[in-house]
Amino acid sequence: MDSMRTRNAAKIKCTIPQQTVKNEKDDVMFTEDEKKTIAELKQLYLETIKLDVDLQRDIYNMEKSYEVKHNEIFDKRKKILEEFKKQNHGDASPNENVTNFWLKVLKASYTEFISKKDEKILSNLCDIRAKLFNEPTVKFIIEFHFEPNEYIANRVLTKTYFLNCLPDPDDPLSYDGAEIYKCEGCRIEWKQAKDREKKDTTSFFDFFSPPTLPEDTDDPNYCDINAILQNDFELGFYLKERVIPKAVIFFTGEIADCQSSEESESETEESDEESDAEEEEESSTNDTENDK
């Protein structure tokens, strides 16, 4: 995924907070007068950090103040899509018709795997929104709205991202802007037992079950989970800042800043073939049971 070219991107650091290790030998290089001068300069730097924190808060408050206006526009978009679907009686060519608008938007913007089964479920997706919160915690929630369907009972699936906008009191000089430090998914209420089973194959819906980062950095799984979460944080911000407002040009293919690699495409094709085989087997089993 390319770097995010958004109004807040420079202020969002999608990493897990870690303490900066100070090298005490550095102090040996300076005279007492130099150390005094450096201390004064660092104090001035701390003042700029305080200003940056205030700026961040003002940016989020301003963004929140425009949320209603954005939602008015997004409501109109949702209405246009709903009217199109009614006029066409819900008929659609797989993945191509405006009826499958949000499915195609996700396929054009989401770098992770979307299986054939995922596509069937996501064809019921009727809207994606972001909700902002500044008090008491700075966070945003990505909401995936679904029409009634045979797969999940949830009308809305959510993913919440929490932001830390304050410097570490133990190491304030390491502050480099606000950062997403945690995310939470939601429980999916599957209607069919076979959909509840956790399979070895990856799914788009794994997005709603993020892993928990071990507290111990020496944990053998720490690095892998850390990498997964960093990618997750970036993706959440990407959905909020680019995919939701620019959905129509993702749909038309006029924007291409999130392309899968050839290797990913190859893996997707192989997984799709496996998915098709599973569906054929499932269909055959159902036919046999019906004959009985």
Side-chain angles (χ1 to χ4, degrees):
M1 185 180 298
D2 290 350
S3 59
M4 301 173 208
R5 300 175 293 281
T6 61
R7 60 184 178 278
N8 292 343
K11 295 297 181 182
I12 296 293
K13 181 177 63 174
C14 298
T15 57
I16 302 298
Q18 295 179 350
Q19 286 190 333
T20 301
V21 179
K22 182 179 178 182
N23 187 353
E24 296 181 356
K25 293 182 179 180
D26 291 344
D27 291 339
V28 180
M29 299 170 56
F30 304 110
T31 65
E32 290 303 315
D33 287 341
E34 287 174 330
K35 290 178 183 179
K36 181 179 179 181
T37 300
I38 291 171
E40 292 175 352
L41 293 175
K42 285 186 176 181
Q43 188 60 41
L44 290 176
Y45 176 45
L46 284 174
E47 292 182 22
T48 68
I49 288 177
K50 292 177 182 178
L51 284 177
D52 193 36
V53 170
D54 292 340
L55 174 61
Q56 285 296 309
R57 178 65 66 175
D58 288 343
I59 288 174
Y60 295 137
N61 287 337
M62 182 178 293
E63 187 176 9
K64 178 64 178 175
S65 71
Y66 276 83
E67 186 176 41
V68 172
K69 294 182 179 180
H70 274 105
N71 280 331
E72 289 175 356
I73 296 172
F74 296 153
D75 285 342
K76 293 177 182 178
R77 177 173 67 187
K78 186 172 184 288
K79 185 178 180 181
I80 290 172
L81 292 171
E82 288 175 345
E83 289 178 348
F84 179 91
K85 191 166 187 177
K86 289 179 182 177
Q87 292 170 3
N88 290 271
H89 307 292
D91 295 332
S93 301
N95 312 332
E96 296 299 330
N97 197 276
V98 173
T99 306
N100 285 326
F101 179 83
W102 285 106
L103 168 59
K104 189 169 182 182
V105 168
L106 285 177
K107 290 185 69 175
S109 61
Y110 188 70
T111 57
E112 305 301 324
F113 178 65
I114 297 180
S115 69
K116 291 293 185 182
K117 180 62 176 294
D118 292 338
E119 289 182 18
K120 289 183 178 181
I121 303 172
L122 292 172
S123 66
N124 298 287
L125 190 60
C126 59
D127 202 7
I128 303 178
R129 297 286 180 97
K131 276 189 176 180
L132 313 177
F133 298 85
N134 290 345
E135 298 292 347
T137 304
V138 179
K139 63 183 179 181
F140 64 89
I141 300 176
I142 306 296
E143 297 182 338
F144 295 77
H145 295 253
F146 287 83
E147 298 174 339
N149 61 85
E150 62 182 294
Y151 301 101
I152 59 175
N154 310 66
R155 292 301 298 272
V156 181
L157 296 180
T158 61
K159 186 71 170 286
T160 305
Y161 293 88
F162 297 84
L163 283 77
N164 177 30
C165 304
L166 299 174
D168 182 346
D170 295 327
D171 188 16
L173 295 179
S174 67
Y175 180 76
D176 192 27
E179 60 187 3
I180 299 174
Y181 68 93
K182 182 177 72 170
C183 63
E184 292 179 353
C186 68
R187 181 175 176 272
I188 301 178
E189 299 175 9
W190 297 103
K191 288 186 176 181
Q192 301 180 42
K194 60 184 177 61
D195 293 327
R196 300 173 188 269
E197 299 173 1
K198 181 65 178 176
K199 299 181 178 180
D200 294 334
T201 56
T202 57
S203 166
F204 168 83
F205 293 93
D206 294 340
F207 176 73
F208 300 99
S209 302
T212 301
L213 187 72
E215 294 183 4
D216 184 3
T217 56
D218 292 328
D219 188 293
N221 297 317
Y222 183 91
C223 289
D224 289 340
I225 293 178
N226 187 14
I228 291 171
L229 288 176
Q230 287 190 40
N231 183 63
D232 192 328
F233 296 167
E234 185 176 354
L235 176 58
F237 194 76
Y238 184 73
L239 287 168
K240 170 181 173 289
E241 294 291 324
R242 291 185 69 75
V243 177
I244 293 174
K246 298 176 182 289
V248 66
I249 54 177
F250 276 104
F251 176 81
T252 60
E254 295 173 80
I255 186 171
D257 60 356
C258 186
Q259 294 293 332
S260 300
S261 65
E262 293 181 3
E263 180 179 354
S264 296
E265 291 173 358
S266 175
E267 290 176 354
T268 299
E269 290 175 1
E270 291 177 2
S271 298
D272 283 348
E273 290 176 1
E274 293 176 0
S275 178
D276 289 341
E278 289 179 0
E279 290 176 8
E280 289 178 5
E281 182 179 348
E282 180 181 322
S283 177
S284 176
T285 302
N286 291 336
D287 291 341
T288 301
E289 291 178 352
N290 291 333
D291 291 340
K292 292 181 180 179

